[in-house]
Amino acid sequence: SGTQEKTITLELAVRTARLLDDRYNVLLTREDDRHLNAHERMQRANMNRADLFVSIHLSNTAPGHAFIYYYKPPGRRPANGGKSNRMHWKTSPLSQTGQSRNAVDRYLAEFSKSFSDTRLHQTGAPILFLEGSTMPAFMIEPLSIISLPGEKGRLKALLDNHAEILADSIHLYSSDLN
């Protein structure tokens, strides 16, 4: 349809930021159509001493699936010297894995309330977009780019719904810390 992931994810991030702005100092890694690589995004979050980092993406799967990841370093190289896809990932320790999982749990709980028929896939993985985080961090793929509604009003409503889910989960996560 010509819809680009970067456009939808930025719109979702901006809508979420608007819902959070009255309670938190929200920093978006980008606010316009410019490219920042994963390292630059994380560096910006780390330099600003963010309390939570959420990386928003779209999947390219059939409708009815959502993917949520937190950073988990890859396992060690196989003793037999065999190749592993995980060995291609750069690694860095992430001391906030427990808090990241807690944030993911809050997101999943809120997401499930509105999309109970969606199959949720949650896992720890060496996600490049989360590498180097000094704060709790997770990545979401709540929507599939191939199943987005073409009509602007329906798309707006869908993004508003997802922004509310993400904002509510961040509120819950934040209240857990207090």
Side-chain angles (χ1 to χ4, degrees), residues 5-42:
E5 178 183 19
K6 66 181 182 175
T7 304
I8 301 299
T9 56
L10 179 59
E11 186 62 32
L12 179 54
V14 167
R15 289 170 189 268
T16 304
R18 285 185 196 136
L19 295 172
L20 295 170
D21 231 6
D22 62 332
R23 284 183 61 183
Y24 308 99
N25 180 20
V26 178
L27 173 69
L28 299 176
T29 56
R30 68 181 181 96
E31 297 180 31
D32 53 24
D33 186 13
R34 67 185 149 108
H35 176 75
L36 290 174
N37 67 38
H39 175 75
E40 291 168 322
R41 292 170 195 240
M42 190 54 68

Side-chain angles (χ1 to χ4, degrees), residues 156-177:
K156 179 189 178 309
L158 183 64
L159 293 177
D160 284 342
N161 191 8
H162 280 279
E164 288 176 22
I165 290 167
L166 184 53
D168 288 348
S169 71
I170 291 170
H171 289 313
L172 289 170
Y173 169 75
S174 178
S175 68
D176 288 346
L177 299 177

Side-chain angles (χ1 to χ4, degrees), residues 52-53 55 67-74 94 96-105 108 121-131 133 135-140:
L52 179 66
F53 183 88
S55 187
F67 302 86
I68 301 92
Y69 305 95
Y70 58 92
Y71 188 88
K72 182 178 176 186
L94 181 64
Q96 295 83 10
T97 300
Q99 287 183 351
S100 296
R101 289 184 72 178
N102 184 35
V104 166
D105 289 343
L108 289 170
H121 307 276
Q122 169 196 2
T123 189
I127 302 297
L128 178 66
F129 293 103
L130 304 179
E131 182 185 308
S133 171
M135 78 285 308
F138 66 99
M139 184 180 109
I140 61 172

Side-chain angles (χ1 to χ4, degrees), residues 105-118 120 161 165 168-169 172:
D105 289 343
R106 296 298 163 254
Y107 177 76
L108 289 170
E110 291 303 301
F111 187 94
S112 296
K113 289 178 187 177
S114 295
F115 297 97
S116 59
D117 58 339
T118 299
L120 297 170
N161 191 8
I165 290 167
D168 288 348
S169 71
L172 289 170

